[in-house]
């Protein structure tokens, strides 16, 4: 027996065991590369999709039966069908086809979770551990670049371009516009940090590597604060509020109500909320330079907008102004096509025409997912999305209890909050959307409620 054979399962090269081990390899690889490389993640996702379809044939599984049995997971892909439907009336089919191809993860991830449900149920904790570990590695590298002198950071980024490190963006105000993120776009990595924090909390209450989860949580929180992705920070704060409220009413409120009464218990809750979500953020603002500069930039932008002097500055890069303009122009496009939307192929062109008329100096941005759905795929797309989330929530509440319920609700609140600030059609966000909501529902149905 060779050294390699000694460490491999004896049946790894037999079919269909080889198929099952391949799924295991690519699923764990997917979780490891998700916070690091969009390209590698896409390869792993496509491989999982192909292997899952092969398993359907190998084990003679009925996809339709799986969909009916686990409908809440399958319906997470419903907005993708609305995008497809809009191709029937869009004029620019080439652009529509490119958009559909770019959004394929919205369909593929729920499909993978659906077919691999038993695998996810068995390996859920380890899958999350791999994801959290990868996020922490990215966080450590991000903090390293932040702590280095900028000249050294630029040299280091150039030296490691061959492993996928992004070019260093040298800005006049390094912290005001967000800290450099070496592997992912800052907004997307900020979202991944939030998902890592919520998952680490769940594993902690599940008694899984508790000390490591606390250390990982601290590292990810610090990185999120410094990184400067304000949408991810806001979404994480709201989601953590869900944990505080849930934990309080599950564990502290029943005891305090007996000792100090309902009014006293509510007073304690208000004190906790005030400390965690008002006093601590204020202390962080006054003592963490990266956070202070990032939000000073926001305050300064809003002040310039209020007194009308923003045109005296390079206002095209004011993110708060760009969001306001995006909302305004999206609503104008919706009024032109209130029922059908433009179709996903014509959305960009029609939005560019509105921007050229109203704000020609600004690039086209979509900063609200609900407005984007309505404008691009009409009421059908908007209602499909809301129905899919509502159905998932109904099923999740029926299946879940305890900390698992808090985990799933915090994920839902996080995703919905970031959708209010960005249209969710980036590849990584779409992958995480179907994956994490699917995993949370599986955890609830499997009774992981310790």
């Amino acid at each position: 027996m060779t050294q390699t054979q000694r460490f491999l399962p004896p049946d790894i090269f037999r079919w269909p065991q080889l198929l099952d081990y391949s799924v295991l390899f690519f699923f764990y690889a997917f979780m490891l590369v998700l916070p690091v490389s969009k390209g590698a993640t896409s390869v792993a996702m496509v491989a999982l999709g192909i292997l899952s379809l092969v398993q359907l044939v190998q084990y003679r599984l009925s996809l339709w039966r799986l969909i009916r049995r686990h409908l809440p997971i399958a319906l997470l892909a419903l907005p993708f069908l609305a995008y497809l439907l809009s191709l029937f009336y869009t004029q620019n089919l080439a652009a529509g086809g490119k958009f559909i191809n770019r959004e394929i993860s919205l369909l593929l991830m729920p499909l993978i979770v659906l077919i691999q449900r038993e695998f996810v149920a068995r390996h859920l904790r380890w899958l999350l551990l791999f994801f959290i570990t990868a996020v922490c590695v990215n966080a450590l590298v991000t903090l390293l670049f932040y702590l280095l002198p900028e000249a050294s950071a630029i040299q280091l980024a150039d030296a490691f371009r061959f492993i996928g490190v992004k070019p260093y963006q040298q800005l006049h105000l390094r912290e005001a516009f967000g800290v450099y993120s070496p592997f992912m776009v800052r907004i997307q990595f900020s979202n991944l940090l939030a998902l890592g924090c919520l998952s680490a909390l769940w594993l902690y209450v599940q008694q899984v590597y508790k000390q490591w989860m606390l250390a990982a949580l601290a590292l990810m929180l610090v990185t999120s604060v410094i990184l400067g992705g304000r949408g991810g920070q806001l979404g994480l704060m709201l989601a953590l509020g869900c944990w505080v409220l849930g934990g309080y009413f599950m564990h502290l409120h029943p005891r305090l109500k007996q000792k100090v009464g309902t009014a006293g218990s509510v007073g304690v809750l208000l004190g906790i909320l005030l400390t965690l979500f008002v006093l601590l953020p204020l202390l962080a603002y006054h003592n963490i330079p990266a956070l202070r500069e990032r939000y000073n930039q926001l305050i300064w932008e809003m002040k310039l907008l209020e007194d009308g002097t923003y045109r005296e500055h390079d206002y095209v890069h004011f993110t708060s102004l760009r969001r306001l303009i995006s909302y305004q122009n999206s609503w104008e496009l919706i009024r032109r096509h209130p029922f059908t939307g433009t179709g996903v192929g014509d959305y960009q062109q029609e939005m560019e025409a509105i921007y050229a008329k109203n704000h020609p100096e600004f690039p086209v941005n979509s900063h609200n997912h609900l407005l984007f759905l309505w404008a691009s795929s009409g009421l059908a797309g908007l209602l499909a999305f809301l129905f899919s989330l509502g159905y998932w929530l109904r099923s999740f509440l029926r299946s879940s209890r305890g900390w698992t319920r808090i985990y799933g609700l915090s994920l839902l609140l996080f995703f919905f909050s970031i959708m209010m600030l960005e249209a969710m059609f980036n590849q990584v966000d779409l992958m995480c959307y179907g994956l994490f909501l699917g995993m949370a529902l599986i955890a609830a149905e499997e009774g992981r409620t310790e």
Side-chain angles (χ1 to χ4, degrees):
M1 179 181 292
T2 67
Q3 192 73 12
T4 302
Q5 290 174 331
R6 189 177 301 170
F7 290 100
L8 292 175
D11 58 352
I12 189 172
F13 295 112
R14 299 176 184 174
W15 190 268
Q17 286 83 0
L18 177 60
L19 177 60
D20 296 338
Y21 285 124
S22 298
V23 169
L24 183 145
F25 170 79
F26 278 106
F27 222 127
Y28 277 104
F30 177 89
M31 301 304 284
L32 274 178
V33 298
L34 179 58
V36 179
S37 170
K38 292 171 65 175
T41 306
S42 297
V43 171
M45 180 186 69
V46 172
L48 278 173
I50 294 172
L51 291 170
S52 297
L53 293 177
V54 173
Q55 280 187 325
L56 283 179
V57 177
Q58 174 67 39
Y59 298 116
R60 298 180 181 179
L61 301 175
S62 168
L63 180 59
W64 178 242
R65 185 174 297 172
L66 286 174
I67 290 174
R68 286 190 301 169
R69 186 179 302 169
H70 308 294
L71 191 58
I73 297 175
L75 286 179
L76 293 175
L78 193 58
F80 183 83
L81 301 182
Y83 291 152
L84 281 177
L85 181 64
S86 76
L87 291 180
F88 285 99
Y89 54 84
T90 195
Q91 294 184 7
N92 193 337
L93 284 175
K98 289 180 180 179
F99 177 85
I100 292 297
N101 181 62
R102 194 178 70 195
E103 300 297 287
I104 194 65
S105 53
L106 180 59
L107 171 68
L108 203 51
M109 280 314 302
L111 182 66
I112 290 170
V113 175
L114 182 73
I115 298 173
Q116 302 298 337
R117 186 194 177 283
E118 298 305 318
F119 173 89
V120 173
R122 290 196 307 270
H123 296 264
L124 178 59
R125 296 178 181 183
W126 279 103
L127 290 171
L128 289 176
L129 275 171
F130 271 54
F131 171 73
I132 292 167
T133 301
V135 172
C136 286
V137 170
N138 194 346
L140 286 171
V141 175
T142 302
L143 292 177
L144 171 64
F145 274 98
Y146 172 67
L147 294 173
L148 285 173
E150 196 162 30
S152 300
I154 293 172
Q155 291 179 353
L156 190 63
D158 290 339
F160 286 94
R161 289 284 300 279
F162 71 96
I163 63 170
V165 173
K166 293 167 54 210
Y168 190 95
Q169 293 181 327
Q170 191 170 13
L171 300 171
H172 174 62
L173 299 173
R174 184 185 184 188
E175 295 171 330
F177 291 98
V179 170
Y180 168 70
S181 176
F183 295 110
M184 285 278 169
V185 174
R186 185 181 64 255
I187 294 174
Q188 291 182 342
F189 186 43
S190 181
N191 294 342
L192 291 172
L193 284 165
L195 292 172
C197 288
L198 300 178
S199 299
L201 271 174
W202 186 70
L203 289 181
Y204 176 82
V205 298
Q206 297 285 311
Q207 311 292 320
V208 177
Y209 293 105
K210 293 182 67 173
Q211 292 183 341
W212 160 232
M213 287 303 103
L214 282 179
L217 180 62
L219 173 61
M220 290 184 288
L221 283 173
V222 169
T223 308
S224 178
V225 168
I226 290 175
L227 188 63
R230 292 177 302 208
Q233 289 173 347
L234 176 61
L236 177 58
M237 182 176 291
L238 292 174
L240 290 177
C242 185
W243 278 86
V244 171
L245 290 173
Y248 183 85
F249 283 109
M250 279 195 305
H251 295 283
L252 285 179
H253 179 67
R255 302 175 191 173
L256 288 175
K257 188 169 65 171
Q258 293 180 350
K259 295 180 179 180
V260 297
T262 301
S265 177
V266 171
V268 172
L269 175 60
L270 291 176
I272 293 173
L273 294 175
L274 181 67
T275 300
L276 292 179
F277 299 107
V278 178
L279 296 181
L280 281 182
L282 283 174
L283 286 173
Y285 170 79
H286 287 291
N287 291 280
I288 301 176
L291 186 71
R292 182 171 63 250
E293 294 302 318
R294 187 72 175 128
Y295 281 88
N296 279 345
Q297 177 69 21
L298 173 63
I299 295 169
W300 181 68
E301 288 180 16
M302 297 306 295
K303 181 178 180 298
L304 294 180
L305 289 176
E306 184 179 354
D307 59 25
T309 60
Y310 67 92
R311 293 187 181 275
E312 300 173 9
H313 304 270
D314 187 16
Y315 62 91
V316 173
H317 299 290
F318 287 7
T319 54
S320 52
L321 179 58
R322 289 170 70 158
R323 280 182 168 81
L324 293 173
I325 288 173
S326 171
Y327 302 152
Q328 175 186 333
N329 290 338
S330 295
W331 184 243
E332 182 172 337
L333 186 57
I334 289 170
R335 285 187 297 166
R336 293 184 182 183
H337 308 276
F339 300 107
T340 63
T342 62
V344 293
D346 299 331
Y347 172 82
Q348 183 71 18
Q349 183 177 351
E350 293 211 29
M351 186 60 85
E352 286 176 355
I354 292 176
Y355 265 81
K357 176 173 69 83
N358 296 334
H359 309 94
E361 67 274 31
F362 284 91
V364 174
N365 291 119
S366 299
H367 284 299
N368 185 288
H369 192 61
L370 298 184
L371 293 179
F372 170 76
L373 281 166
W374 194 351
S376 63
S377 53
L379 280 175
L382 177 62
L383 294 177
F385 170 72
L386 294 176
F387 176 76
S388 66
L389 274 188
Y391 197 89
W392 180 93
L393 178 60
R394 174 176 173 269
S395 301
F396 180 76
L397 290 176
R398 286 183 170 184
S399 304
S400 65
R401 63 183 188 275
W403 290 114
T404 299
R405 172 174 288 189
I406 301 304
Y407 177 51
L409 292 178
S410 67
L411 288 174
L412 182 63
L413 182 60
F414 169 74
F415 281 118
F416 202 78
S417 65
I418 64 173
M419 289 176 192
M420 296 301 101
L421 299 174
E422 298 290 341
M424 196 180 67
F425 45 67
N426 288 313
Q427 181 186 28
V428 173
D429 292 335
L430 288 177
M431 289 177 179
C432 291
Y433 174 72
L435 175 64
F436 279 85
L437 290 184
M439 289 194 300
L441 185 59
I442 290 172
E445 291 172 346
E446 291 296 312
R448 300 185 187 276
T449 57
E450 297 96 304

